[in-house]
Amino acid sequence: RRLCESPQTRQPLAYLRLRRAIRTVVEHRDIEPGQALPSERDLSQALGLSRVTVRKAIAGLVEEGLLTQRHGAGTFVAERIVKPMSRLTSFTEDLRARGLNPRSEFFERGIGEVTPEEAMAMNLSPGAAVVRLHRVRYAGDEPLAIERSVVPASVLPDPMLVRDSLYEALERRNCRPRRALQRLRAVSLGAQHARLLHVATGSAGLSIERRSFLDDGRVVEFTSSWYRGDIYDFVAELHTD
Ligand code: GLP
């Protein structure tokens, strides 16, 4: 047991504190995406922390996707948005965590009747009322994704409850999803989607379908998204069992 005790196991707080501090720096954009972090040596000298502590804090943030490392060149704030696939987060949360300003432009935010396909996918009875959202999702002025969401009106009775973030509206009603199934597919973006996303027709995109559930198994959302392939990385941790 002794053998496994390394110095950093005795000071986990310092590494966690540094990790939080770097995250705040990135969120506040004190270091912009693509810019370099001070070297490990400079950080450890300036902060009076061991190299091991600094390295551990940085390694955690690299794993999270907030920082990237280029061999021999140093550590940078990631330019691409790296999204861990195993966490059920919203577009708004993913962007805020990177110091970006999430915004939606709505094409549609209304209530209607479920289609037969949607009813099947969401386990709803024919004719059930659903809220429909169709929007372009931005980081500031830059369009990143197009999303079409369908939400049962039994969960969200009024589409105007969604100001910008769907999950925030669901949270306020205590209906935040707890589990989701997600399918990712590579696509080439058609003319209409490409125009909305400010990329060339035929550019690489990711088509993502998400069905999210409440604890009791009810479907909360059925969302089809088209993400720009040139900006997003989806990463997952894999286990053998
Ligand atoms: C992601 C998911 C969608 C989900 C959305 C909610 O983009 N792919 O399925 O509806 O997040 O984000 P927000 O709460 O910002 O509307």
Side-chain angles (χ1 to χ4, degrees):
R1 195 162 288 229
R2 272 271 161 78
L3 274 178
C4 301
E5 252 179 37
S6 59
Q8 75 262 34
T9 59
R10 271 185 255 122
Q11 43 164 284
L13 286 177
Y15 114 78
L16 284 177
R17 269 205 307 274
L18 177 58
R19 190 162 155 171
R20 199 176 317 137
I22 297 177
R23 201 182 282 123
T24 307
V25 163
V26 173
E27 271 169 28
H28 292 174
R29 299 213 121 192
D30 294 329
I31 305 179
E32 299 270 333
Q35 284 185 345
L37 236 66
S39 71
E40 269 175 28
R41 195 194 322 129
D42 288 352
L43 278 174
S44 91
Q45 273 175 2
L47 303 170
L49 295 170
S50 76
R51 288 284 285 271
V52 173
T53 301
V54 171
R55 201 167 301 143
K56 201 167 168 209
I58 289 177
L61 292 165
V62 168
E63 205 167 290
E64 257 181 52
L66 204 64
L67 304 177
T68 53
Q69 274 174 327
R70 262 175 265 144
H71 206 71
T75 307
F76 301 82
V77 176
E79 281 183 283
R80 293 174 67 90
I81 296 174
V82 181
K83 174 157 176 41
M85 288 241 286
S86 47
R87 297 202 48 228
L88 181 46
T89 53
S90 71
F91 180 87
T92 302
E93 291 160 344
D94 292 342
L95 262 67
R96 284 206 184 123
R98 276 154 188 80
L100 299 169
N101 173 30
R103 216 164 51 76
S104 300
E105 253 168 44
F106 286 88
F107 293 124
E108 186 185 358
R109 181 167 26 172
I111 196 153
E113 223 177 73
V114 75
T115 66
E117 294 76 27
E118 289 162 357
M120 285 239 269
M122 300 174 76
N123 208 3
L124 294 176
S125 9
V130 286
V131 160
R132 281 212 173 74
L133 310 170
H134 184 193
R135 48 195 175 145
V136 181
R137 318 289 323 255
Y138 293 84
D141 293 332
E142 183 150 45
L144 299 186
I146 299 164
E147 285 194 311
R148 270 181 189 281
S149 303
V150 186
V151 181
S154 55
V155 170
L156 195 74
D158 179 357
M160 288 322 218
L161 292 170
V162 182
R163 287 179 223 134
D164 201 80
S165 160
L166 169 60
Y167 279 22
E168 275 174 18
L170 293 169
E171 183 107 54
R172 286 194 293 274
R173 297 186 56 77
N174 276 329
C175 286
R176 167 129 194 166
R178 304 294 296 264
R179 185 174 74 82
L181 288 174
Q182 186 159 284
R183 181 203 299 253
L184 249 87
R185 238 177 310 175
V187 289
S188 118
L189 296 167
Q192 217 187 345
H193 284 161
R195 188 174 46 78
L196 291 171
L197 293 174
H198 298 180
V199 293
T201 303
S203 300
L206 286 163
S207 145
I208 302 173
E209 232 174 59
R210 186 187 285 184
R211 276 190 303 149
S212 308
F213 306 85
L214 293 174
D215 270 340
D216 63 9
R218 272 185 296 157
V219 177
V220 186
E221 68 163 329
F222 180 44
T223 294
S224 310
S225 320
W226 293 266
Y227 278 72
R228 273 171 57 181
D230 59 335
I231 287 194
Y232 265 89
D233 285 4
F234 287 83
V235 295
E237 188 177 308
L238 308 177
H239 299 270
T240 45
D241 49 347

